């Protein structure tokens, strides 16, 4: 009898995986510029992130998660639409209006780029209202939708409340806060710099603390299921942190990662994630809330002499086509639905989250997305998603970043440069630091991948640079 009782208890403790539609809340945390190893559970040698480390222990951690781009706006559009940046035309970061934002760019618009050999496509300056966002899709399922933090997908008329969100706290065309301290204004800043719907509350209050409080207040006042798109302005520049945490890290022995102010910014983010998780627990919403934690691109280097962060074990940083620019930390938790304490090495990408969520909602039609549902992987980490992944950046950035496209097929990754520079081919399984270019050694594979890129350009109607 005791053995039967034991078997019964074990059965009850197993994840209740089901292909039926679910009724659940969603907390999607899309951090800005968080590097692939900026959390303790992902290998940081300096930053303390106990709440996120615990979230990973209670959920699934992805070691080969990719952003849709090496910079922010394209990834943010991809997250909300489920489409590749090449398909939406948002392939570069969108400048705020006080930075000379260009608005709508026609497919035929090209920039001359003085001193460069290529004319490059102008970037689409906002997310068109015709695009159906995740928030708009969830409205059809009865969700109340909250956006908190960074938007950076258009000016007035293209803000979160125009694209499916019931409440918008902080989202406008700004790509970063003028300051992380209340009243969140830079010295001599114009009104253009004001974060939307974030009036001053307590002088000196830290912005991420304010975001966490707004989310807790929202959760406390919800009677129906909700979707929270939390896009923290952290950990983007300006690099600032609460003074007590900055002092903590100044006194701490540094690792390879060593910037104390950035470390404070990361830990403060972790504290606020913990604050929101605690409130979900207090309200009995833990088991009924799908949490997705991810980033919009790789970590930022900033000043090489005093780097913002180091993407340990990967090459390069935000803005570059290497793994340090596009590999991101990702955690998913949903008790009794997502396998807990597991690690998945299957490559995933930003666009996968819409079809995944809709799959759990029982949506019968998952076509029309460039991403794929990860439900099978979340329920069994041994599952793999078999497909090629692509990136498209047809712009100049810094002097050492020229227009490129990338394809990853299996373990092979090829970077194609539109200016005629030699392609780069890497075997990521044996060379994660991308140190050995195999393009000449494996010309047949390089040719195959170039063909895949060409077919993908046609499929997505990608705008390509032209030689002058």
């Amino acid at each position: 009898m005791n053995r039967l009782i034991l078997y019964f208890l074990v059965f009850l403790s197993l994840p209740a995986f089901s292909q039926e539609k679910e009724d659940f809340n969603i907390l999607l945390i899309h951090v800005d510029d968080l590097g692939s190893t900026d959390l303790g559970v992902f290998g940081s040698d300096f930053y303390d992130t106990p709440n996120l480390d615990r979230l990973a222990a209670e959920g699934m951690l992805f070691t080969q998660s990719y952003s849709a781009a090496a910079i922010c706006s394209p990834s943010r559009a991809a997250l909300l639409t489920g489409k590749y940046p090449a398909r939406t035309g948002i392939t570069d970061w969108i400048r705020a209006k006080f930075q000379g934002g260009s608005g709508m760019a026609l497919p035929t618009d090209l920039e001359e780029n003085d001193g460069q050999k290529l004319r490059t496509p102008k970037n689409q300056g906002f997310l068109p209202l015709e695009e159906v966002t995740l928030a708009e899709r969830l409205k059809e399922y009865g969700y109340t939708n909250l956006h908190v933090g960074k938007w950076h997908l258009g000016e007035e008329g293209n803000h979160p409340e125009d694209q499916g969100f019931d409440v918008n706290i902080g989202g406008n065309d700004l790509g970063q806060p003028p300051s992380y301290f209340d009243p969140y204004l830079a010295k001599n800043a114009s009104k253009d710099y004001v974060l939307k719907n974030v009036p001053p509350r307590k002088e000196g209050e830290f912005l991420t603390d304010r975001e966490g409080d707004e989310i807790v207040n929202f959760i406390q006042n919800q009677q129906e299921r909700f979707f929270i798109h939390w896009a923290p302005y952290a950990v983007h520049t300006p690099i600032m942190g609460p003074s007590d945490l900055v002092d903590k890290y100044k006194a701490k022995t540094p690792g390879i990662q060593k910037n104390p102010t950035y470390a404070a910014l990361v830990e403060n983010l972790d504290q606020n994630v913990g604050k929101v998780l605690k409130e979900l627990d207090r309200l009995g919403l833990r088991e009924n809330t799908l949490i997705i934690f991810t980033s919009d691109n790789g970590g930022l280097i900033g000043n090489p002499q005093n780097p913002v962060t180091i993407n340990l074990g990967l090459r390069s940083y935000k803005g570059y086509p290497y793994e340090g620019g596009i590999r991101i930390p990702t955690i998913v938790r949903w008790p009794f639905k997502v396998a807990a304490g597991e690690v998945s090495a299957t490559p995933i990408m930003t666009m996968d989250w819409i079809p995944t969520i809709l799959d759990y909602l029982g949506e019968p039609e998952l076509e029309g997305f460039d991403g794929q549902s990860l439900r099978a992987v979340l329920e069994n980490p041994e599952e793999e998603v078999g497909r090629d992944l692509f990136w498209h950046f047809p712009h100049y950035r810094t002097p050492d970043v020229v227009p490129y496209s990338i394809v990853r097929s299996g373990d092979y990754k090829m970077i194609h440069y539109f200016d005629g520079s030699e392609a780069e081919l890497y075997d990521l399984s044996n060379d994660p630091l991308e140190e050995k270019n195999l393009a000449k050694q494996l010309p047949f594979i390089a040719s195959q991948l170039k063909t895949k890129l060409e077919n993908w350009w046609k499929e997505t109607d990608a705008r390509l640079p032209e030689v002058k």
Side-chain angles (χ1 to χ4, degrees):
M1 179 62 70
N2 289 338
R3 180 173 296 178
L4 289 175
I5 293 174
L6 177 61
Y7 287 158
F8 179 69
L9 292 175
V10 170
F11 174 77
L12 288 179
S13 68
L14 293 175
F17 299 147
S18 168
Q19 292 303 312
E20 297 178 358
K21 65 180 180 180
E22 306 288 350
D23 184 11
F24 57 100
N25 304 307
I26 304 162
L27 172 59
L28 175 50
I29 308 173
H30 198 205
V31 186
D32 197 356
D33 287 2
L34 189 71
S36 59
T37 55
D38 282 352
L39 305 182
V41 71
F42 280 91
S44 173
D45 63 1
F46 191 47
Y47 318 135
D48 294 330
T49 55
N51 294 293
L52 287 163
D53 295 350
R54 184 169 63 252
L55 187 73
E58 297 169 349
M60 186 177 294
L61 178 152
F62 287 86
T63 60
Q64 296 195 54
S65 177
Y66 288 97
S67 58
I71 48 178
C72 57
S73 297
S75 290
R76 293 173 185 279
L79 180 80
L80 291 169
T81 64
K83 296 180 181 180
Y84 273 117
R87 203 180 293 277
T88 65
I90 302 175
T91 47
D92 200 353
W93 68 285
I94 297 173
R95 294 180 181 272
K97 56 189 173 186
F98 54 84
Q99 295 170 315
S102 58
M104 175 68 80
L106 299 175
T108 55
D109 288 346
L110 292 171
E111 295 179 319
E112 289 297 324
N113 303 300
D114 293 343
Q116 303 291 357
K117 65 172 62 176
L118 298 174
R119 298 184 185 93
T120 55
K122 288 186 178 179
N123 188 44
Q124 164 66 32
F126 56 89
L127 182 64
L129 297 181
E130 291 77 13
E131 295 288 351
V132 182
T133 67
L134 173 57
E136 289 170 320
R137 294 179 188 279
L138 292 176
K139 290 287 285 184
E140 298 177 4
Y141 287 89
Y143 279 79
T144 300
N145 301 324
L146 168 69
H147 170 88
V148 174
K150 179 172 172 175
W151 180 246
H152 205 195
L153 289 173
E155 299 175 11
E156 199 73 42
N158 291 85
H159 286 172
E161 59 269 34
D162 304 304
Q163 298 188 306
F165 289 94
D166 299 287
V167 182
N168 168 28
I169 300 174
N172 53 10
D173 62 331
L174 290 176
Q176 66 178 51
S179 170
Y180 276 96
F181 295 98
D182 187 309
Y184 315 118
L185 290 172
K187 292 182 179 179
N188 303 318
S190 71
K191 291 183 179 179
D192 290 335
Y193 283 77
V194 175
L195 302 178
K196 190 169 186 178
N197 300 328
V198 186
R201 185 173 74 169
K202 181 181 179 182
E203 186 173 359
E205 181 180 35
F206 202 71
L207 178 56
T208 316
D209 294 334
R210 174 69 174 272
E211 292 174 351
D213 285 352
E214 297 285 1
I215 292 169
V216 166
N217 180 67
F218 174 84
I219 294 172
Q220 290 173 344
N221 288 282
Q222 294 311 302
Q223 302 299 320
E224 305 296 335
R225 55 185 175 179
F226 56 81
F227 165 48
I228 300 172
H229 177 231
W230 183 12
Y233 278 99
V235 291
H236 196 285
T237 54
I239 303 304
M240 299 175 172
S243 59
D244 59 330
L245 289 177
V246 174
D247 290 343
K248 167 190 170 178
Y249 284 99
K250 284 181 177 178
K252 184 177 180 179
T253 302
I256 298 175
Q257 298 168 325
K258 58 185 180 181
N259 187 315
T261 308
Y262 182 77
L265 190 55
V266 171
E267 183 170 346
N268 176 260
L269 170 69
D270 178 83
Q271 290 175 346
N272 280 281
V273 171
K275 178 167 64 180
V276 173
L277 296 180
K278 183 178 180 180
E279 188 63 17
L280 289 172
D281 287 352
R282 189 185 73 83
L283 295 173
L285 299 175
R286 175 189 179 90
E287 295 179 5
N288 197 36
T289 302
L290 166 63
I291 298 176
I292 301 166
F293 177 94
T294 189
S295 177
D296 65 348
N297 49 246
L300 174 69
I301 183 173
N303 179 359
Q305 279 65 53
N306 182 29
V308 173
T309 193
I310 300 292
N311 299 308
L312 301 170
L314 299 178
R315 180 176 175 178
S316 201
Y317 308 90
K318 171 186 177 178
Y320 288 81
Y322 303 106
E323 294 293 282
I326 56 178
R327 190 87 70 85
I328 53 176
T330 297
I331 300 168
V332 181
R333 190 194 80 177
W334 190 4
F336 305 111
K337 295 293 188 298
V338 172
E342 298 286 355
V343 176
S344 173
T346 193
I348 65 172
M349 206 171 190
T350 304
M351 297 83 65
D352 293 334
W353 298 118
I354 289 185
T356 300
I357 290 168
L358 294 180
D359 192 358
Y360 277 110
L361 285 169
E363 173 64 44
E365 180 60 65
L366 293 177
E367 296 181 358
F369 301 110
D370 291 314
Q372 295 185 16
S373 172
L374 301 178
R375 181 170 182 169
V377 178
L378 292 171
E379 296 176 354
N380 177 8
E382 299 302 318
E383 288 283 337
E384 297 183 357
V385 181
R387 39 80 190 267
D388 297 329
L389 300 178
F390 299 89
W391 293 260
H392 186 56
F393 186 77
H395 312 282
Y396 290 97
R397 186 169 170 84
T398 56
D400 55 343
V401 176
V402 300
Y404 64 80
S405 280
I406 307 170
V407 55
R408 173 171 174 169
S409 184
D411 289 323
Y412 287 107
K413 171 185 172 182
M414 189 182 77
I415 306 171
H416 167 80
Y417 295 104
F418 288 98
D419 70 347
S421 299
E422 180 184 0
E424 298 178 26
L425 175 66
Y426 301 103
D427 177 359
L428 296 177
S429 63
N430 295 309
D431 182 22
L433 279 170
E434 300 170 282
E435 295 176 318
K436 186 175 182 180
N437 184 358
L438 302 174
K440 291 181 178 179
Q441 184 178 336
L442 301 173
F444 180 69
I445 291 177
S447 177
Q448 283 184 317
L449 296 185
K450 175 65 179 309
T451 299
K452 289 188 175 188
L453 265 180
E454 291 171 344
N455 291 337
W456 180 77
W457 291 333
K458 294 176 182 177
E459 177 191 342
T460 59
D461 196 23
R463 289 183 273 174
L464 306 179
E466 296 179 0
V467 178
K468 294 180 181 178

